[in-house]
Amino acid sequence: MKASLPRVTSRFRPLALVAVLGWSLLSPSPAAAEEADRGVSIIAWNVEWFPGQKNFARREAMREHAGVVNADLVKLNPDVLLAQEIRDWDSFARLCDNVPGLRPAAVSAFASRRTGEYWRQQVAIGSKLPVLAAWSELWKAANDLQPPRGFTAAVLRLPGEGPVRHLLVYSLHLKSNLAENEEETQMNYRERDESTRQLLVHIRDMQENVFQGSIVGVVVGGDFNTNQDGQFGDTVMKILSDAGFHQTWGDTPAAQRATWRGSDVHGSATFDHIFTKGLGSPRAELIEVPEEASDHWPVRIILSAADLANAKPLVPKE
């Protein structure tokens, strides 16, 4: 009997933390096996206050926005969706329903740091691959910092014969660049760096302790609010690179990876990234979507069947 997937919403707890057990106990579906043959498509997308494109959107605006995004997601047809600025579990579940086989794994339920109320910009993961576990966590207070939001994570089972092998995937949305003075600007940089360091500690714990011997690759995707172009004073890109993560944008020119459209005040920039570890050297591509869908364009990578087949446990089982 297939295990039902628990729902995570702010009505039950302020911090979404859910373990999903059951999918990986089943044999991989024919669709999952077919995906393994052609590789695994991963999309990272900030969907701009989905649905509605603003905090308190009218119902009609929510319907119109959802209709545009639904159509785009059908075309993208991801095997794994790392989404940001999602209103809640129900909104994300309805979004995933548009793609056959795509099911929500985890949706955060973080509160606004300013008001303490439920925040309508959550981070989420959807997957066609079987899910062993999925959860979300707030960033911890450290070094006089309290970075906003946190991450969602999921352990996904790769199809194939032999020992069970898993992908560890994260969806995140790091601190924005909103600031009223230089002190706040510097705080933004420090908070992004602190979040990234905490992320690496969590990944190491998952590899070495919780899922030792089965994780063959790590994927981290989302809206980082920074880039490799020297525009900002944080060191997020360097922290991840020094930890052995592959920057999938590689040498793509900045003009071809401006994932955020920009505003009347600021020009466009690369804010959205996917980093990988243990999975070869996949290349990211920017997928153009209408402005009515989001102020961010989706980022896609394909994990090739060959790279997945050759991936070995990042931390061998003792």
Side-chain angles (χ1 to χ4, degrees):
M1 179 178 178
K2 182 182 294 185
S4 61
L5 185 65
R7 294 174 56 188
V8 183
T9 74
S10 61
R11 290 172 292 178
F12 297 111
R13 58 199 307 180
L15 172 61
L17 175 60
V18 56
V20 182
L21 302 176
W23 290 14
S24 66
L25 303 181
L26 306 174
S27 299
S29 66
E34 180 180 344
E35 282 148 14
D37 291 339
R38 64 175 173 80
V40 172
S41 166
I42 299 179
I43 294 285
W45 193 8
N46 179 325
V47 206
E48 193 183 9
W49 294 97
F50 180 84
Q53 291 192 296
K54 61 181 180 180
N55 193 355
F56 297 103
R58 294 181 178 274
R59 187 167 298 178
E60 182 60 31
M62 293 170 63
R63 281 197 295 266
E64 290 178 0
H65 186 211
V68 175
V69 174
N70 291 345
D72 287 324
L73 192 66
V74 169
K75 297 175 185 176
L76 293 170
N77 189 25
D79 301 318
V80 178
L81 174 62
L82 311 176
Q84 300 81 48
E85 296 199 17
I86 298 295
R87 179 175 293 257
D88 51 29
W89 179 279
D90 288 342
S91 299
F92 189 62
R94 288 194 291 271
L95 178 61
C96 290
D97 282 345
N98 292 279
V99 179
L102 188 68
R103 294 183 284 186
V107 179
S108 65
F110 302 137
S112 165
R113 184 170 64 175
R114 184 174 61 85
T115 67
E117 298 176 346
Y118 179 82
W119 185 235
R120 293 180 176 85
Q121 287 189 347
Q122 302 297 331
V123 288
I125 297 174
S127 176
K128 292 182 183 179
L129 299 174
V131 178
L132 175 65
W135 65 96
S136 66
E137 291 187 24
L138 287 165
W139 303 122
K140 299 177 178 63
N143 302 320
D144 299 323
L145 299 172
Q146 178 55 77
R149 295 183 286 257
F151 62 81
T152 55
V155 179
L156 310 179
R157 181 179 176 180
L158 290 172
E161 303 296 329
V164 173
R165 302 185 313 140
H166 293 114
L167 286 181
L168 176 61
V169 302
Y170 291 82
S171 176
L172 51 77
H173 188 178
L174 297 184
K175 178 65 177 71
S176 74
N177 290 292
L178 294 175
E180 295 184 358
N181 51 54
E182 181 60 24
E183 181 180 359
E184 290 185 3
T185 295
Q186 294 301 318
M187 184 70 73
N188 292 339
Y189 299 157
R190 293 177 60 212
E191 288 182 337
R192 289 202 288 266
D193 285 349
E194 177 60 32
S195 297
T196 307
R197 286 190 289 265
Q198 291 186 25
L199 173 71
L200 293 181
V201 170
H202 191 274
I203 291 172
R204 184 168 61 248
D205 188 41
M206 295 299 102
Q207 293 177 162
E208 295 179 357
N209 300 316
V210 183
F211 299 102
Q212 186 187 66
S214 73
I215 293 176
V216 300
V218 182
V219 177
V220 180
D223 182 351
F224 288 67
N225 275 306
T226 189
N227 56 45
Q228 61 270 55
D229 300 322
Q231 292 178 271
F232 306 100
D234 59 72
T235 59
V236 170
M237 304 288 110
K238 184 177 187 303
I239 292 171
L240 289 168
S241 177
D242 288 349
F245 276 83
H246 167 65
Q247 163 60 283
T248 61
W249 281 123
D251 57 0
T252 303
Q256 297 176 22
R257 51 173 168 79
T259 62
W260 181 58
R261 298 175 188 272
S263 66
D264 294 337
V265 178
H266 302 286
S268 60
T270 304
F271 281 163
D272 306 87
H273 307 263
I274 302 177
F275 287 84
T276 63
K277 191 171 187 177
L279 299 165
S281 302
R283 293 294 299 267
E285 60 176 330
L286 181 150
I287 309 297
E288 295 188 8
V289 295
E291 188 172 353
E292 292 77 15
S294 177
D295 57 350
H296 289 248
W297 282 329
V299 178
R300 177 169 60 195
I301 66 168
I302 304 292
L303 302 179
S304 73
D307 284 338
L308 290 172
N310 293 328
K312 306 298 182 185
L314 295 174
V315 177
K317 192 173 184 61
E318 294 181 351

